[in-house]
Amino acid sequence: MPYRLTQIITKTGDTGTTGLGDGSRVPKSSLRIIAIGDVDELNAHLGVLLTMNLPDDIRAVLTKIQHQLFDLGSELAVPGWSLIDDTYLQFLEQAAATWHAQLTPLKEFILPGGSVAAAQVHVVRTVARRAERSVVALQDAAVAVSGNVQKYLNRLSDVMFILAREVNRREGVSDVLWQKNQTE
């Protein structure tokens, strides 16, 4: 395989545009670039989570998700290209089902927190939601994006909610339950 990144500082973005995978250039403020950036940030927060002490089975799933997010970002970066298929969605759904089966039913909303790792999972969850909103905005602007991209990000945020609870459970830490009307 030839080297893909032979030069990092190219100066081609100095004018406020950036290149897409098909060679076209778009403004850095375009909805496509915003969506790509949100997915990149999501992957970076996942990278922070992966630096933490996590059980091997959770680490394996998160590592696969990190690679899948790079696939998703590359789909956004190449107009007309589709990579995210139903197997990506099924992977997330299986992870959710496995972890959810271990949890007690919720009677209250929970707040981000508990253990440090669970709090970081919630950060990943919220950035996944923002990335999803960016993709929806892209679709609303009639930019062709595979529907599986939005579905993947939607499923991912749900998986992260479940995972935050599972991480707390495994660490023996209680979820932080929302208490209405906390004024003091």
Side-chain angles (χ1 to χ4, degrees), residues 1 5 32 35 45 60 70 73 97 109 113 117 142 150 152 165 173-174:
M1 174 190 285
L5 301 173
R32 183 180 296 276
H45 283 293
F70 208 87
F109 290 106
Q150 183 267 327
Y152 183 91
R165 295 193 66 221
V173 176
S174 297

Side-chain angles (χ1 to χ4, degrees), residues 104-148:
T104 58
L106 278 175
K107 296 178 182 176
E108 298 290 339
F109 290 106
I110 65 169
L111 302 177
S115 69
V116 172
Q120 181 62 30
V121 174
H122 279 291
V123 172
V124 172
R125 174 185 60 77
T126 62
V127 177
R129 285 285 185 220
R130 179 164 25 96
E132 180 188 8
R133 290 189 302 271
S134 294
V135 168
V136 169
L138 197 57
Q139 293 167 327
D140 288 349
V143 176
V145 178
S146 161
N148 280 343

